[in-house]
Amino acid sequence: MSNTSTTVALDRLNAVVTKIGPMVVAFSGGVDSSLLAVAARRSLGADQIIAVTADSPSLATGELDQCQDLAAKWDIPWLAVKTDEASNENYLANTGDRCYWCKDALMEQLGPIAAERSATVVLGVNTGDLSDHRPGQKAAAERGARFPLVEAEMGKDTIRALAKTWGLSVWDRPAMPCLASRIPYGTAVTVPLLGRIDRAEAALRALGFNDLRVRHYGDEARIELPTSELVAAAEQSETIVGALQEVGYSRVTLDLEGLRSGNLNQALTS
């Protein structure tokens, strides 16, 4: 991305952020919400924003601490809130609108915070997200949330380039969608199941794999990795199988198609 393109993108984002004004940033610690939070901090000042992270059973171990550490590093006020999507039967049923109920639970917590601060809830949605099945965006928009990165016409490549320019450590961090996204639609979500998936993925990260998904198919754990890492995984097959059997899977398979973000959404259109 050229310096000119970066400058243009940054100018658009600053204009959008300034126009929106005080913000409550839904903060996951990924590159999208991180760039948005830092842009708001720079344009509006620390007293006009707060980054809020959902403390949820579907959040992977270590992610909450990561968010707190990043916010402190960038001098951004930060807060964790408990969300209760796991008590909602619509969410637990895991039909095609599961993500809607998850975001609805988040907005239930963020709305009062925004009202108290006369602020707007903003999410780190980028233009590329608009083409996938993301009912959570609808839930957020229905409650008045805005998507500044979309309004500034920014896709993932532009966001990563800007984050790298600003020296943000997360500029190349792999996406970390919620743990429930590993469970095929129609399979009920439970807190113990989310915990099993979390432990399975943590075991793989301990072996050096960072960009991954462990898809849950009953007793089978189906591992998705970038195709460039499939050989390395095969070479460690015995260790990987042992680690995932320890967390409760009797069968462990490696998906030869590699990692595909939103892979399980294909079942909704097939």
Side-chain angles (χ1 to χ4, degrees):
M1 188 175 184
S2 69
N3 290 336
T4 300
S5 298
T6 301
T7 300
V8 170
L10 179 57
D11 287 345
R12 284 201 306 263
L13 180 57
N14 285 337
V16 170
V17 168
T18 301
K19 184 176 181 180
I20 293 174
M23 294 182 172
V24 174
V25 182
F27 186 62
S28 69
V31 64
D32 297 334
S33 64
S34 291
L35 182 76
L36 178 55
V38 172
R41 170 69 178 82
R42 291 185 174 201
S43 295
L44 302 173
D47 62 332
Q48 296 295 300
I49 70 163
I50 186 169
V52 183
T53 303
D55 184 1
S56 160
S58 66
L59 188 67
T61 299
E63 290 301 293
L64 196 66
D65 290 340
Q66 162 89 348
C67 289
Q68 185 175 20
D69 291 346
L70 288 174
K73 179 179 180 180
W74 297 328
D75 190 28
I76 295 171
W78 178 84
L79 178 68
V81 295
K82 290 277 189 180
T83 56
D84 65 351
E85 65 271 21
S87 67
N88 185 330
E89 292 183 0
N90 293 303
Y91 171 82
L92 297 176
N94 194 24
T95 59
D97 64 353
R98 182 199 67 237
C99 189
Y100 178 96
W101 299 109
C102 181
K103 267 310 177 289
D104 187 66
L106 175 61
M107 292 300 300
E108 189 73 22
Q109 298 300 317
L110 299 188
I113 297 172
E116 182 179 350
R117 301 170 65 92
S118 298
T120 300
V121 176
V122 296
L123 276 65
V125 178
N126 67 66
T127 57
D129 295 328
L130 301 180
S131 60
D132 196 5
H133 177 70
R134 305 286 178 92
Q137 295 171 12
K138 178 183 178 183
E142 286 176 350
R143 287 179 175 257
R146 292 179 65 172
F147 312 141
L149 300 177
V150 171
E151 294 181 38
E153 302 175 11
M154 297 177 67
K156 182 69 80 174
D157 290 344
T158 300
I159 290 165
R160 290 198 186 279
L162 274 178
K164 185 177 183 180
T165 298
W166 282 355
L168 305 187
S169 57
V170 298
W171 75 269
D172 62 346
R173 190 180 191 218
M176 286 285 291
C178 76
L179 295 171
S181 67
R182 305 344 183 229
I183 305 172
Y185 294 115
T187 299
V189 175
T190 67
V191 173
L193 177 52
L194 294 172
R196 184 200 292 187
I197 295 168
D198 186 24
R199 294 191 299 276
E201 295 194 348
L204 290 176
R205 290 192 180 89
L207 295 173
F209 302 100
N210 293 312
D211 195 5
L212 64 103
R213 308 284 187 274
V214 174
R215 308 292 189 188
H216 172 86
Y217 289 91
D219 292 331
E220 175 189 340
R222 187 176 303 174
I223 302 169
E224 291 183 15
L225 296 167
T227 53
S228 60
E229 297 182 11
L230 293 179
V231 172
E235 291 173 347
Q236 298 186 63
S237 61
E238 186 174 344
T239 302
I240 291 173
V241 169
L244 269 60
Q245 285 180 339
E246 283 189 10
V247 305
Y249 289 104
S250 59
R251 297 182 62 238
V252 180
T253 60
L254 188 61
D255 192 324
L256 297 183
E257 288 191 74
L259 177 63
R260 286 100 70 209
S261 179
N263 177 25
L264 298 184
N265 288 339
Q266 295 177 10
L268 299 175
T269 58
S270 60

